[in-house]
Amino acid sequence: MTFEYAPAPESRAIVSIKPKYGHFINGSFVAGKKHFPTINPATEEILSHISLGGLSDVDKAVAAAQKAYTKTWSKLSGKERGKYLYRIARILQERAREFAVLETLDNGKPIRETRDIDIPLVAAHFFYHAGWADKLDYAGLGHSPQPYGVAGQIIPWNFPLLMLAWKVAPALATGNTVVLKPAETTSLTALLFAEVCQQAELPDGVVNIVTGDGSTGAAIVNHPGIHKIAFTGSTDVGKKIARAIASTDKKATLELGGKGANVVFDDAPVDEAVEGIVNGIFFNQGHVCCAGSRLILQESIADEVIEKLKVRMSKIRVGDPLDKNTDLGAINSKEQLVKIKELSAIGDAEGAERWSPQCNLSDKGFWFAPTIFTGVTQAHRIAQEEIFGPVLSILTFRTPQEAMDKANNTPFGLSAGIWSEKGSRIFWASQHLKAGVIWANTFNKFDPASPFGGYKESGWGREGGKHGLAAYLKTGKETGVK
Ligand code: ADP
């Protein structure tokens, strides 16, 4: 039986968007010189105009962060820093609906996800790190670990506020100050977060937000006043950053691309696995670096799983991201849609078989139906390259070892999933999979206490948990403390 859903749109009245934004430097909004539009990807409506930060804006932001570090933030005890983080976390919870609606408008992701996943996780990151601020001496990182100073943080558009939280919360908890650049298509929630910093009376200059494009990001990376870089984004830009800092003493964490393998063994609970496959690739329109974008199915159950997957995919509701019943929202930008279409066309040309359920996609905005490709081989580009959209490549295997070889046969190593009812098989597979995060009988589960990061071209270092704290602290001899 199929249910018809009446429209259930969330009201957007709770957000007030200014026609134009400046940068947030030294506790105040300062006007930018040049601007570019930011649009709602579901409707192409222009929401606002964002400042394109240049060298002088970055310079002012770094100077403010340096001053705040020396004069205020490094002088506060961990306990006092923690109070600010708790205050920010509570304000984020109080304003959760406003943030959820704004994120959905600016990014195109469904309100169900911003409301139930992104924003609660954002608050959880601030709460978690608030708890660490006065306990750093006991984190197992050695005696009296010390902050680096000013952290330059560059984030992508797929989880705009959540990536901000992943970056800002550990930096502040460990005593660093921050210059952050949001992605060009999704700056609005970062700018609303700036208002939260004001509301929390965070000392001026501790958090600075400069909006802009890749050139603004490069200006942050190359600025001599930046001591640590935290970047999440594409492997191409990650490589550029690694080259740019190669001859400096800047520390960096790079969280880059992925081509996660979701491996389903023949003893897996099939219905649960189908849910996990759908969550693995269609969560957040597949705009997820750790997405389970390669399904590696044991041959004996492949037909059954694919049939059930098609039935399940036919129930995915694609449409208005503000509608509370929507499962799959808009693709974040025209450029990303073009990339998804190009790689999918390459899948067709290479001989893989494409299938999507019937979807009524709007003419306005950027949309792509949930899609699977069967008959994919390891040599296909859709088995190797990150599509970053709602597109799943399906491969099969006969022996467990073959599954591991196929799963590891990419330049990436960020995430993997294992579906099996046998604990021994899960342990065996998790030892063989070269991936920073491995889920068993689930997928895309996140927690601030759990370190996240990759091997190979998926990046350097870990974010979250104790490992994530270490990336913001000098330890041992580096501290100069005897
Ligand atoms: P995506 O594929 O997610 O768009 P990008 O790596 O292009 O990923 O972008 C991630 C972030 O990196 C964005 O904030 C973008 O503006 C920034 N960025 C792009 N080019 C550079 C660069 N050369 N140096 C620093 N940051 C950059």
Side-chain angles (χ1 to χ4, degrees):
M1 180 173 152
T2 307
F3 291 97
E4 290 300 324
Y5 286 81
E10 175 77 41
S11 164
R12 60 186 277 181
I14 196 164
V15 300
S16 79
I17 304 176
K18 299 187 183 86
K20 205 194 234 181
Y21 285 88
H23 308 292
F24 181 65
I25 297 175
N26 205 27
S28 308
F29 284 94
V30 295
K33 289 185 203 83
K34 285 192 204 152
H35 292 83
F36 59 92
T38 189
I39 63 168
N40 176 346
T43 58
E44 297 177 55
E45 168 203 2
I46 293 180
L47 295 170
S48 182
H49 290 84
I50 304 295
S51 293
L52 179 63
L55 286 176
S56 70
D57 302 303
V58 170
D59 225 21
K60 284 185 197 126
V62 174
Q66 271 171 334
K67 189 165 145 227
Y69 177 73
T70 326
K71 297 239 153 95
T72 328
W73 203 238
S74 64
K75 298 223 164 85
L76 286 185
S77 65
K79 189 171 145 201
E80 292 305 313
R81 289 199 310 272
K83 285 186 193 167
Y84 283 106
L85 287 161
Y86 278 121
R87 202 182 284 173
I88 290 171
R90 283 195 296 268
I91 296 171
L92 286 164
Q93 284 186 321
E94 282 161 17
R95 300 180 68 173
R97 182 179 293 250
E98 189 183 349
F99 272 102
V101 173
L102 187 62
E103 193 80 301
T104 287
L105 285 170
D106 202 21
N107 172 281
K109 62 170 80 193
I111 188 78
R112 192 169 59 78
E113 291 180 3
T114 51
R115 184 196 61 200
D116 298 349
I117 300 171
D118 293 60
I119 310 305
L121 275 173
V122 167
H125 269 269
F126 279 95
F127 277 118
Y128 174 80
H129 286 95
W132 269 121
D134 61 348
K135 301 175 193 70
L136 298 174
D137 284 350
Y138 316 103
L141 303 171
H143 171 62
S144 195
Q146 299 293 315
Y148 283 108
V150 182
Q153 309 188 315
I154 298 160
I155 56 173
W157 46 260
N158 58 340
F159 292 95
L161 192 68
L162 183 56
M163 290 300 104
L164 175 148
W166 278 33
K167 303 279 183 275
V168 173
L172 299 196
T174 49
N176 297 274
T177 57
V178 162
V179 175
L180 175 129
K181 190 195 86 67
E184 36 277 67
T185 57
T186 53
S187 300
L188 291 180
T189 47
L191 293 163
L192 187 60
F193 178 79
E195 287 180 23
V196 170
C197 294
Q198 290 179 323
Q199 200 181 337
E201 295 176 8
L202 188 70
D204 293 346
V206 172
V207 168
N208 303 276
I209 297 175
V210 181
T211 52
D213 63 8
S215 66
T216 320
I220 294 174
V221 168
N222 293 321
H223 198 289
I226 298 282
H227 305 106
K228 188 221 147 61
I229 292 156
F231 170 77
T232 298
S234 62
T235 296
D236 281 351
V237 174
K239 286 181 181 173
K240 281 189 200 163
I241 292 175
R243 278 195 290 272
I245 61 168
S247 57
T248 73
D249 63 356
K250 291 177 186 177
K251 305 285 172 199
T253 43
L254 303 176
E255 207 272 272
L256 311 176
K259 192 76 190 173
N262 208 356
V263 183
V264 184
F265 289 98
D266 59 3
D267 60 350
V270 169
D271 292 331
E272 282 88 338
V274 167
E275 281 308 308
I277 295 162
V278 167
N279 179 40
I281 185 62
F282 302 125
F283 168 56
N284 204 36
Q285 294 71 247
H287 300 327
V288 184
C289 48
C290 57
S293 53
R294 283 180 304 146
L295 176 60
I296 307 198
L297 278 178
Q298 191 141 13
E299 204 176 82
S300 50
I301 55 161
D303 289 347
E304 180 193 354
V305 172
I306 291 166
E307 271 325 298
K308 288 195 165 172
L309 181 60
K310 287 180 175 174
V311 172
R312 177 64 182 81
M313 284 171 66
S314 306
K315 309 259 187 271
I316 293 176
R317 291 180 294 274
V318 185
D320 178 9
L322 271 180
D323 191 309
K324 285 171 254 184
N325 291 323
T326 292
D327 297 311
L328 197 86
I331 300 302
N332 178 253
S333 66
K334 196 176 194 170
E335 293 71 35
Q336 189 57 28
L337 181 60
V338 167
K339 198 179 144 200
I340 296 168
K341 285 185 173 167
E342 273 173 11
L343 271 163
S344 300
I346 288 167
D348 295 328
E350 285 179 328
E353 195 175 321
R354 185 200 291 231
W355 184 88
S356 294
Q358 180 60 41
C359 289
N360 293 324
L361 304 179
S362 166
D363 299 335
K364 272 267 171 227
F366 317 125
W367 303 95
F368 199 85
T371 298
I372 57 173
F373 277 97
T374 50
V376 178
T377 74
Q378 296 185 82
H380 286 165
R381 282 180 61 188
I382 54 166
Q384 293 293 330
E385 293 177 33
E386 189 176 38
I387 300 174
F388 222 65
V391 182
L392 179 67
S393 301
I394 306 182
L395 298 90
T396 58
F397 69 93
R398 289 187 181 166
T399 66
Q401 188 56 50
E402 185 191 348
M404 299 297 101
D405 293 345
K406 284 188 168 164
N408 291 333
N409 184 18
T410 74
F412 299 108
L414 191 54
S415 69
I418 306 164
W419 294 85
S420 167
E421 65 156 21
K422 290 192 189 67
S424 56
R425 179 168 270 177
I426 290 169
F427 282 122
W428 176 85
S430 61
Q431 282 168 347
H432 287 79
L433 289 167
K434 198 79 180 149
V437 184
I438 300 174
W439 288 288
N441 292 328
T442 186
F443 212 94
N444 274 338
K445 286 275 179 283
F446 306 99
D447 190 283
S450 174
F452 184 93
Y455 290 99
K456 303 192 277 185
E457 294 205 0
S458 290
W460 294 348
R462 296 292 178 266
E463 292 188 303
K466 275 187 356 181
H467 299 67
L469 291 174
Y472 282 95
L473 289 166
K474 293 183 218 167
T475 53
K477 283 192 189 140
E478 264 189 315
T479 61
V481 179
K482 299 230 167 60

